[in-house]
Amino acid sequence: MTTVTSDQAANAPRSLTVPLDRFYQYQLSERGLSAHTQRNYQRQLDKIVDFLTARGIAHWQDVDADWVRQISSQAKRDGLKPGSIALRLSALRSFFDYLVLTEQLAANPAKGVAAPKQGRQLPKNLDVDEMNQLLEVDQDDPLSVRDRAMMELMYGAGLRLAELVDLNVRDVSVRKGDLRVTGKGEKERIVPFSGMAKTWVMNWLKVRNQLLKGPEEALFISKLGQRISHRSVQKRMAEWGQKQAVNSHINPHKLRHSFATHMLESSGDLRAVQELLGHADLSTTQIYTHLDFQHLAKVYDSAHPRARSTGARKPGAGKKTNSES
């Protein structure tokens, strides 16, 4: 069990729930995490509090590494997948870091507890023909124009769902062909967009006023004239996938993954794709290098000078004669 000094004991929270609100506020204001991430952490920590309370644990100072392992084991028994268990442990680890930072704990008991291994799940993407089929929306009512603009921009610029929803009109420079995007951790990046994405954003801006009910800075708005929600974007894209008779289920992440895959296949420039996607770590982008091994193998076979066999070696080939030595 973690040893706590007398000063830290005096500052110790009186129950498991007392410091959580302050932690959530710290996550938002100090660390710059998104409200979505904060809600995920809150759900995980609520489950952990229920688990510990049911077992008579009333103070975070009573939670040691053994308890953390029990939390992980119980999550597995509850049927959670490795990724969900990792998220739960990540939330707990971050919370304990906060308690250490605020001198309510001497050490983080979750630091040495590993999450279960996860199988590497490759992102799913549409091929170019499927993407063209999805984007051939020929209806010209404001909602259809908006939806095509959203899909063209998500595929044309590789945006995350939250980045698309958070875009304001002032973030878009149609003349220069770039977007100011706020990504994870409130990090801004400038992303180019052109071609059909630019055309349909301009088409949308021409009809956007038809849905406005008052002042609204959001680029994409609902029929109520307010910033469109994450759920509405997901629902509309799924509906368009059905209307356009695309064989696979359509969701915003699939458009982003398709952008990354097609860009990498065409350019082979991993660093550039990393910048466009807003990945902090290159290893996150590298997952796309595993998506289409057959495609990569064909490129290798056609490009590498020694990839193709030229037949069996003749006897003595490659051996130096005395005169050559």
Side-chain angles (χ1 to χ4, degrees):
M1 187 177 294
T2 303
T3 303
V4 181
T5 67
S6 57
D7 287 340
Q8 290 166 340
N11 293 328
R14 295 179 182 177
S15 76
L16 294 175
T17 57
V18 168
L20 288 175
D21 287 340
R22 292 194 293 272
F23 168 65
Y24 299 142
Q25 186 57 45
Y26 166 78
Q27 292 283 84
L28 290 171
S29 61
E30 299 296 325
R31 293 196 61 203
L33 296 188
S34 68
H36 176 70
T37 301
Q38 187 266 331
R39 286 192 297 271
N40 277 340
Y41 276 16
Q42 185 169 349
R43 281 193 291 270
Q44 298 305 324
L45 290 169
D46 284 347
K47 293 289 186 183
I48 292 170
V49 167
D50 290 344
F51 172 85
L52 294 172
T53 301
R55 287 154 182 78
I57 301 297
H59 306 285
W60 290 109
Q61 283 70 23
D62 297 329
V63 180
D64 57 14
D66 285 338
W67 277 114
V68 176
R69 281 189 281 271
Q70 287 191 47
I71 289 168
S72 178
S73 298
Q74 184 61 50
K76 185 176 181 180
R77 287 193 294 272
D78 289 340
L80 268 66
K81 294 180 179 179
S84 298
I85 299 173
L87 175 61
R88 184 161 297 182
L89 291 179
S90 176
L92 185 60
R93 201 174 292 116
S94 294
F95 175 61
F96 279 140
D97 280 340
Y98 167 78
L99 292 183
V100 172
L101 180 68
T102 54
E103 299 185 345
Q104 298 176 68
L105 278 184
N108 184 337
K111 281 287 188 187
V113 179
K117 289 185 178 180
Q118 304 179 52
R120 191 162 195 178
Q121 190 172 7
L122 297 179
K124 295 178 181 178
N125 64 284
L126 301 174
D127 63 33
V128 175
D129 289 338
E130 288 176 316
M131 186 59 66
N132 289 335
Q133 183 177 336
L134 172 67
L135 295 176
E136 286 302 318
V137 175
D138 57 5
Q139 299 177 32
D140 58 2
D141 61 284
L143 290 180
S144 297
V145 173
R146 178 205 64 191
D147 292 349
R148 178 158 181 182
M150 290 194 303
M151 291 190 291
E152 291 279 6
L153 193 58
M154 179 160 276
Y155 173 59
L159 302 182
R160 299 180 176 95
L161 173 58
E163 293 170 348
L164 181 85
V165 169
D166 289 346
L167 279 176
N168 294 322
V169 175
R170 66 173 180 270
D171 296 327
V172 181
S173 174
V174 175
R175 183 179 60 81
K176 292 194 295 182
D178 64 39
L179 308 167
R180 186 171 68 249
V181 176
T182 302
K184 289 185 176 180
E186 298 299 308
K187 292 180 180 178
E188 285 192 357
R189 68 184 190 279
I190 302 298
V191 179
F193 74 110
S194 60
M196 297 300 284
K198 180 187 278 192
T199 296
W200 280 91
V201 168
M202 289 192 294
N203 290 345
W204 161 241
L205 289 173
K206 291 174 185 175
V207 301
R208 179 176 174 273
N209 286 343
Q210 296 180 34
L211 297 182
L212 278 177
K213 311 293 185 204
E216 176 55 67
E217 61 181 3
L219 175 61
F220 294 112
I221 57 177
S222 69
K223 60 184 177 182
L224 299 177
Q226 302 167 344
R227 186 182 299 274
I228 196 168
S229 69
H230 292 65
R231 183 70 192 100
S232 293
V233 176
Q234 293 167 329
K235 184 171 178 287
R236 295 289 291 186
M237 288 191 182
E239 289 173 354
W240 279 112
Q242 293 175 344
K243 287 179 184 177
Q244 300 295 91
V246 179
N247 288 329
S248 59
H249 175 73
I250 301 300
N251 59 62
H253 295 297
K254 193 166 287 187
L255 269 64
R256 174 173 159 88
H257 294 327
S258 299
F259 163 86
T261 305
H262 299 163
M263 285 294 295
L264 193 58
E265 286 179 354
S266 298
S267 70
D269 192 332
L270 197 62
R271 285 287 182 186
V273 175
Q274 177 194 6
E275 291 293 325
L276 291 168
L277 291 171
H279 286 160
D281 192 335
L282 187 63
S283 64
T284 309
T285 317
Q286 283 174 327
I287 192 170
Y288 293 102
T289 63
H290 301 278
L291 275 173
D292 192 350
F293 180 78
Q294 206 168 26
H295 168 81
L296 295 176
K298 286 180 181 177
V299 172
Y300 176 84
D301 286 342
S302 63
H304 197 282
R306 295 183 67 83
R308 290 179 299 247
S309 173
T310 56
R313 270 207 223 181
K314 295 177 181 179
K319 293 181 180 179
K320 292 182 178 180
T321 64
N322 290 336
S323 60
E324 291 172 328
S325 299

mmCIF file of all heavy atoms in Angstrom, residues 237-263:
data_model
loop_
_atom_site.group_PDB
_atom_site.id
_atom_site.type_symbol
_atom_site.label_atom_id
_atom_site.label_comp_id
_atom_site.label_asym_id
_atom_site.label_seq_id
_atom_site.Cartn_x
_atom_site.Cartn_y
_atom_site.Cartn_z
ATOM 1 N N MET A 237 -24.268 10.619 -42.457
ATOM 2 C CA MET A 237 -23.324 9.891 -43.313
ATOM 3 C C MET A 237 -23.756 8.436 -43.487
ATOM 4 O O MET A 237 -23.634 7.865 -44.584
ATOM 5 C CB MET A 237 -21.913 9.987 -42.758
ATOM 6 C CG MET A 237 -21.307 11.367 -42.916
ATOM 7 S SD MET A 237 -19.543 11.403 -42.548
ATOM 8 C CE MET A 237 -19.201 13.164 -42.764
ATOM 9 N N ALA A 238 -24.258 7.831 -42.431
ATOM 10 C CA ALA A 238 -24.751 6.454 -42.535
ATOM 11 C C ALA A 238 -25.926 6.387 -43.497
ATOM 12 O O ALA A 238 -26.037 5.450 -44.313
ATOM 13 C CB ALA A 238 -25.159 5.942 -41.155
ATOM 14 N N GLU A 239 -26.807 7.378 -43.436
ATOM 15 C CA GLU A 239 -27.958 7.413 -44.334
ATOM 16 C C GLU A 239 -27.529 7.574 -45.792
ATOM 17 O O GLU A 239 -28.076 6.927 -46.687
ATOM 18 C CB GLU A 239 -28.899 8.556 -43.938
ATOM 19 C CG GLU A 239 -29.650 8.292 -42.630
ATOM 20 C CD GLU A 239 -30.455 9.494 -42.165
ATOM 21 O OE1 GLU A 239 -30.342 10.587 -42.795
ATOM 22 O OE2 GLU A 239 -31.209 9.361 -41.172
ATOM 23 N N TRP A 240 -26.527 8.421 -46.041
ATOM 24 C CA TRP A 240 -26.046 8.613 -47.405
ATOM 25 C C TRP A 240 -25.382 7.338 -47.938
ATOM 26 O O TRP A 240 -25.472 7.031 -49.124
ATOM 27 C CB TRP A 240 -25.094 9.801 -47.490
ATOM 28 C CG TRP A 240 -25.818 11.110 -47.575
ATOM 29 C CD1 TRP A 240 -25.852 12.104 -46.640
ATOM 30 C CD2 TRP A 240 -26.640 11.551 -48.657
ATOM 31 N NE1 TRP A 240 -26.652 13.148 -47.058
ATOM 32 C CE2 TRP A 240 -27.145 12.831 -48.308
ATOM 33 C CE3 TRP A 240 -27.016 11.003 -49.883
ATOM 34 C CZ2 TRP A 240 -27.993 13.557 -49.136
ATOM 35 C CZ3 TRP A 240 -27.859 11.734 -50.707
ATOM 36 C CH2 TRP A 240 -28.341 12.993 -50.336
ATOM 37 N N GLY A 241 -24.717 6.610 -47.045
ATOM 38 C CA GLY A 241 -24.131 5.343 -47.476
ATOM 39 C C GLY A 241 -25.190 4.392 -47.996
ATOM 40 O O GLY A 241 -24.983 3.697 -49.002
ATOM 41 N N GLN A 242 -26.360 4.379 -47.330
ATOM 42 C CA GLN A 242 -27.464 3.522 -47.769
ATOM 43 C C GLN A 242 -28.094 4.051 -49.058
ATOM 44 O O GLN A 242 -28.372 3.293 -49.982
ATOM 45 C CB GLN A 242 -28.515 3.426 -46.662
ATOM 46 C CG GLN A 242 -28.010 2.693 -45.421
ATOM 47 C CD GLN A 242 -29.013 2.709 -44.284
ATOM 48 O OE1 GLN A 242 -29.962 3.493 -44.281
ATOM 49 N NE2 GLN A 242 -28.809 1.836 -43.301
ATOM 50 N N LYS A 243 -28.308 5.370 -49.119
ATOM 51 C CA LYS A 243 -28.923 5.964 -50.311
ATOM 52 C C LYS A 243 -28.063 5.756 -51.558
ATOM 53 O O LYS A 243 -28.572 5.535 -52.652
ATOM 54 C CB LYS A 243 -29.128 7.471 -50.103
ATOM 55 C CG LYS A 243 -30.249 7.833 -49.157
ATOM 56 C CD LYS A 243 -30.348 9.351 -49.019
ATOM 57 C CE LYS A 243 -31.404 9.749 -48.000
ATOM 58 N NZ LYS A 243 -31.445 11.236 -47.820
ATOM 59 N N GLN A 244 -26.743 5.829 -51.364
ATOM 60 C CA GLN A 244 -25.829 5.710 -52.504
ATOM 61 C C GLN A 244 -25.438 4.261 -52.795
ATOM 62 O O GLN A 244 -24.584 3.996 -53.628
ATOM 63 C CB GLN A 244 -24.564 6.537 -52.255
ATOM 64 C CG GLN A 244 -24.815 8.031 -52.043
ATOM 65 C CD GLN A 244 -25.380 8.700 -53.270
ATOM 66 O OE1 GLN A 244 -26.595 8.790 -53.440
ATOM 67 N NE2 GLN A 244 -24.503 9.177 -54.147
ATOM 68 N N ALA A 245 -26.075 3.344 -52.030
ATOM 69 C CA ALA A 245 -25.883 1.895 -52.243
ATOM 70 C C ALA A 245 -24.429 1.466 -52.098
ATOM 71 O O ALA A 245 -23.935 0.605 -52.839
ATOM 72 C CB ALA A 245 -26.435 1.486 -53.607
ATOM 73 N N VAL A 246 -23.723 2.075 -51.132
ATOM 74 C CA VAL A 246 -22.357 1.646 -50.822
ATOM 75 C C VAL A 246 -22.451 0.390 -49.961
ATOM 76 O O VAL A 246 -23.253 0.328 -49.025
ATOM 77 C CB VAL A 246 -21.582 2.751 -50.082
ATOM 78 C CG1 VAL A 246 -20.168 2.282 -49.750
ATOM 79 C CG2 VAL A 246 -21.544 4.016 -50.925
ATOM 80 N N ASN A 247 -21.661 -0.607 -50.261
ATOM 81 C CA ASN A 247 -21.807 -1.907 -49.604
ATOM 82 C C ASN A 247 -21.433 -1.912 -48.129
ATOM 83 O O ASN A 247 -21.946 -2.711 -47.364
ATOM 84 C CB ASN A 247 -20.973 -2.966 -50.344
ATOM 85 C CG ASN A 247 -21.577 -3.323 -51.686
ATOM 86 O OD1 ASN A 247 -22.790 -3.282 -51.852
ATOM 87 N ND2 ASN A 247 -20.734 -3.661 -52.650
ATOM 88 N N SER A 248 -20.530 -1.045 -47.712
ATOM 89 C CA SER A 248 -20.117 -1.041 -46.309
ATOM 90 C C SER A 248 -20.746 0.123 -45.550
ATOM 91 O O SER A 248 -21.147 1.126 -46.143
ATOM 92 C CB SER A 248 -18.591 -0.977 -46.192
ATOM 93 O OG SER A 248 -18.107 0.193 -46.817
ATOM 94 N N HIS A 249 -20.843 -0.033 -44.232
ATOM 95 C CA HIS A 249 -21.409 1.016 -43.380
ATOM 96 C C HIS A 249 -20.504 2.247 -43.415
ATOM 97 O O HIS A 249 -19.286 2.139 -43.303
ATOM 98 C CB HIS A 249 -21.541 0.509 -41.946
ATOM 99 C CG HIS A 249 -21.999 1.549 -40.973
ATOM 100 N ND1 HIS A 249 -23.298 2.021 -40.939
ATOM 101 C CD2 HIS A 249 -21.333 2.234 -40.009
ATOM 102 C CE1 HIS A 249 -23.412 2.936 -39.999
ATOM 103 N NE2 HIS A 249 -22.232 3.080 -39.420
ATOM 104 N N ILE A 250 -21.117 3.411 -43.557
ATOM 105 C CA ILE A 250 -20.347 4.649 -43.650
ATOM 106 C C ILE A 250 -20.372 5.387 -42.322
ATOM 107 O O ILE A 250 -21.436 5.573 -41.715
ATOM 108 C CB ILE A 250 -20.918 5.580 -44.755
ATOM 109 C CG1 ILE A 250 -20.898 4.877 -46.109
ATOM 110 C CG2 ILE A 250 -20.126 6.885 -44.811
ATOM 111 C CD1 ILE A 250 -19.526 4.448 -46.572
ATOM 112 N N ASN A 251 -19.199 5.770 -41.853
ATOM 113 C CA ASN A 251 -19.089 6.621 -40.671
ATOM 114 C C ASN A 251 -17.950 7.612 -40.900
ATOM 115 O O ASN A 251 -17.115 7.423 -41.789
ATOM 116 C CB ASN A 251 -18.859 5.784 -39.406
ATOM 117 C CG ASN A 251 -17.601 4.946 -39.487
ATOM 118 O OD1 ASN A 251 -16.500 5.467 -39.593
ATOM 119 N ND2 ASN A 251 -17.753 3.625 -39.451
ATOM 120 N N PRO A 252 -17.912 8.693 -40.123
ATOM 121 C CA PRO A 252 -16.896 9.725 -40.351
ATOM 122 C C PRO A 252 -15.469 9.200 -40.295
ATOM 123 O O PRO A 252 -14.613 9.609 -41.085
ATOM 124 C CB PRO A 252 -17.175 10.739 -39.237
ATOM 125 C CG PRO A 252 -18.633 10.577 -38.944
ATOM 126 C CD PRO A 252 -18.896 9.108 -39.098
ATOM 127 N N HIS A 253 -15.181 8.276 -39.368
ATOM 128 C CA HIS A 253 -13.818 7.759 -39.239
ATOM 129 C C HIS A 253 -13.385 7.044 -40.514
ATOM 130 O O HIS A 253 -12.214 7.075 -40.893
ATOM 131 C CB HIS A 253 -13.719 6.804 -38.048
ATOM 132 C CG HIS A 253 -13.948 7.474 -36.731
ATOM 133 N ND1 HIS A 253 -13.126 8.471 -36.242
ATOM 134 C CD2 HIS A 253 -14.918 7.309 -35.794
ATOM 135 C CE1 HIS A 253 -13.579 8.878 -35.080
ATOM 136 N NE2 HIS A 253 -14.659 8.197 -34.787
ATOM 137 N N LYS A 254 -14.341 6.398 -41.168
ATOM 138 C CA LYS A 254 -13.994 5.662 -42.382
ATOM 139 C C LYS A 254 -13.532 6.611 -43.485
ATOM 140 O O LYS A 254 -12.649 6.280 -44.278
ATOM 141 C CB LYS A 254 -15.193 4.828 -42.842
ATOM 142 C CG LYS A 254 -14.866 3.802 -43.907
ATOM 143 C CD LYS A 254 -15.989 2.794 -44.088
ATOM 144 C CE LYS A 254 -16.070 1.826 -42.926
ATOM 145 N NZ LYS A 254 -17.048 0.744 -43.165
ATOM 146 N N LEU A 255 -14.115 7.814 -43.545
ATOM 147 C CA LEU A 255 -13.685 8.786 -44.541
ATOM 148 C C LEU A 255 -12.279 9.285 -44.238
ATOM 149 O O LEU A 255 -11.461 9.459 -45.144
ATOM 150 C CB LEU A 255 -14.671 9.960 -44.593
ATOM 151 C CG LEU A 255 -15.819 9.799 -45.600
ATOM 152 C CD1 LEU A 255 -16.733 8.623 -45.218
ATOM 153 C CD2 LEU A 255 -16.650 11.081 -45.672
ATOM 154 N N ARG A 256 -11.987 9.514 -42.971
ATOM 155 C CA ARG A 256 -10.635 9.942 -42.583
ATOM 156 C C ARG A 256 -9.624 8.842 -42.887
ATOM 157 O O ARG A 256 -8.534 9.109 -43.411
ATOM 158 C CB ARG A 256 -10.622 10.306 -41.096
ATOM 159 C CG ARG A 256 -9.234 10.635 -40.516
ATOM 160 C CD ARG A 256 -9.400 11.148 -39.098
ATOM 161 N NE ARG A 256 -8.196 11.045 -38.295
ATOM 162 C CZ ARG A 256 -7.242 11.967 -38.235
ATOM 163 N NH1 ARG A 256 -7.333 13.052 -38.981
ATOM 164 N NH2 ARG A 256 -6.192 11.804 -37.448
ATOM 165 N N HIS A 257 -9.975 7.601 -42.564
ATOM 166 C CA HIS A 257 -9.068 6.489 -42.835
ATOM 167 C C HIS A 257 -8.836 6.322 -44.336
ATOM 168 O O HIS A 257 -7.730 5.987 -44.771
ATOM 169 C CB HIS A 257 -9.633 5.188 -42.253
ATOM 170 C CG HIS A 257 -9.694 5.179 -40.756
ATOM 171 N ND1 HIS A 257 -8.769 5.825 -39.979
ATOM 172 C CD2 HIS A 257 -10.571 4.594 -39.895
ATOM 173 C CE1 HIS A 257 -9.071 5.644 -38.694
ATOM 174 N NE2 HIS A 257 -10.162 4.912 -38.627
ATOM 175 N N SER A 258 -9.890 6.548 -45.120
ATOM 176 C CA SER A 258 -9.748 6.424 -46.571
ATOM 177 C C SER A 258 -8.809 7.498 -47.106
ATOM 178 O O SER A 258 -7.973 7.232 -47.979
ATOM 179 C CB SER A 258 -11.116 6.530 -47.241
ATOM 180 O OG SER A 258 -11.979 5.494 -46.797
ATOM 181 N N PHE A 259 -8.943 8.718 -46.591
ATOM 182 C CA PHE A 259 -8.026 9.797 -46.963
ATOM 183 C C PHE A 259 -6.581 9.381 -46.694
ATOM 184 O O PHE A 259 -5.705 9.499 -47.561
ATOM 185 C CB PHE A 259 -8.363 11.058 -46.155
ATOM 186 C CG PHE A 259 -7.277 12.097 -46.144
ATOM 187 C CD1 PHE A 259 -7.169 13.038 -47.162
ATOM 188 C CD2 PHE A 259 -6.341 12.147 -45.106
ATOM 189 C CE1 PHE A 259 -6.166 13.997 -47.161
ATOM 190 C CE2 PHE A 259 -5.333 13.103 -45.092
ATOM 191 C CZ PHE A 259 -5.250 14.026 -46.121
ATOM 192 N N ALA A 260 -6.320 8.879 -45.481
ATOM 193 C CA ALA A 260 -4.952 8.515 -45.098
ATOM 194 C C ALA A 260 -4.411 7.400 -45.981
ATOM 195 O O ALA A 260 -3.270 7.453 -46.451
ATOM 196 C CB ALA A 260 -4.928 8.088 -43.627
ATOM 197 N N THR A 261 -5.242 6.391 -46.216
ATOM 198 C CA THR A 261 -4.803 5.246 -47.023
ATOM 199 C C THR A 261 -4.490 5.661 -48.451
ATOM 200 O O THR A 261 -3.436 5.313 -49.001
ATOM 201 C CB THR A 261 -5.896 4.162 -47.031
ATOM 202 O OG1 THR A 261 -6.231 3.823 -45.683
ATOM 203 C CG2 THR A 261 -5.408 2.919 -47.749
ATOM 204 N N HIS A 262 -5.406 6.419 -49.052
ATOM 205 C CA HIS A 262 -5.220 6.803 -50.456
ATOM 206 C C HIS A 262 -4.043 7.770 -50.617
ATOM 207 O O HIS A 262 -3.296 7.676 -51.597
ATOM 208 C CB HIS A 262 -6.510 7.422 -50.999
ATOM 209 C CG HIS A 262 -7.673 6.483 -50.955
ATOM 210 N ND1 HIS A 262 -8.991 6.892 -51.067
ATOM 211 C CD2 HIS A 262 -7.721 5.126 -50.795
ATOM 212 C CE1 HIS A 262 -9.781 5.838 -50.979
ATOM 213 N NE2 HIS A 262 -9.027 4.762 -50.806
ATOM 214 N N MET A 263 -3.862 8.657 -49.654
ATOM 215 C CA MET A 263 -2.728 9.580 -49.709
ATOM 216 C C MET A 263 -1.405 8.831 -49.600
ATOM 217 O O MET A 263 -0.448 9.113 -50.323
ATOM 218 C CB MET A 263 -2.834 10.622 -48.585
ATOM 219 C CG MET A 263 -3.875 11.702 -48.819
ATOM 220 S SD MET A 263 -3.463 12.780 -50.206
ATOM 221 C CE MET A 263 -1.967 13.562 -49.598
#
